[in-house]
Amino acid sequence: MMRALWAIPVAAGLCLTPSVAFATEPPVMVDESLVYLYQKLDHGLPASWENSGEQDLFIQEPGTEFAALGVLPVWVCGPGWGAQFDVIQHDGSFIVPLIVQYPEAVFSDAGVLVMAKHVDLVTPDCAPEPTPEPTPEPTPVPTPESSPKPVLAVTGVNVAPFAIGGALVAFAGVVLKVAGRRKKATS
């Protein structure tokens, strides 16, 4: 009778195989060290998650230890600055945000935070904004419309215009031009 039960699925095109569990490799974990810079909400209180303003990603590097801070950017100046140091571990699918802000605990919520600390920063005074140099007035570039009319060179012939019967006539020594036709002057 057992043979008949196995024969039916095979005859119907079904293949019954015992379930086999394959060993899978564990995912390769990514360790990252991050540093975020922020201005504290209350400059008199110590640096902390609750006292942090908007945090900007400053350092992202591989590692399982806190990153070295290094030289601060010029925009971090004046009183009341802090830094958040984070070490995270993930399977490669986590995307590190460029900005974090309290109370959104993105690292804790995603389960990737390994360790964190906040430190107060000693920052230089901000340099005063440089006074902008006055912009010189641009020198106009002459265009045909704005250029003065050129003075024509003097020719060797004196022309004395006069009118005869409403038509302009010019005497040029030897040739008269009347209404567009040239005539020899007779003198």
Side-chain angles (χ1 to χ4, degrees), residues 136-149:
E137 290 294 322
T139 305
V141 177
T143 61
E145 295 82 30
S146 68
S147 300
K149 297 290 181 197

Side-chain angles (χ1 to χ4, degrees), residues 5-17:
L5 291 176
W6 281 98
I8 294 171
V10 172
L14 299 174
C15 181
L16 297 176
T17 58

Side-chain angles (χ1 to χ4, degrees), residues 103-128:
E104 298 172 19
V106 293
F107 303 124
S108 297
D109 292 347
V112 298
L113 186 62
V114 175
M115 60 183 167
K117 72 177 180 177
H118 288 261
V119 298
D120 286 302
L121 297 178
V122 176
T123 56
D125 289 333
C126 297

Side-chain angles (χ1 to χ4, degrees), residues 41-53:
L41 299 175
D42 184 338
H43 297 187
L45 294 177
S48 68
W49 177 233
E50 295 80 12
N51 192 28
S52 65

Side-chain angles (χ1 to χ4, degrees), residues 47-129:
S48 68
W49 177 233
E50 295 80 12
N51 192 28
S52 65
E54 183 176 88
Q55 298 186 17
D56 295 303
L57 181 63
F58 177 56
I59 297 173
Q60 178 182 12
E61 61 187 30
T64 58
E65 301 295 324
F66 292 126
L69 189 56
V71 178
L72 295 173
V74 295
W75 51 267
V76 177
C77 60
W81 284 88
Q84 175 175 320
F85 293 80
D86 296 308
V87 174
I88 62 172
Q89 185 179 56
H90 55 89
D91 63 1
S93 63
F94 182 76
I95 298 172
V96 173
L98 297 175
I99 296 172
V100 295
Q101 188 163 6
Y102 176 80
E104 298 172 19
V106 293
F107 303 124
S108 297
D109 292 347
V112 298
L113 186 62
V114 175
M115 60 183 167
K117 72 177 180 177
H118 288 261
V119 298
D120 286 302
L121 297 178
V122 176
T123 56
D125 289 333
C126 297
E129 290 290 323

Side-chain angles (χ1 to χ4, degrees), residues 31 98 103 124 167 182:
D31 296 305
L98 297 175
R182 293 183 176 206

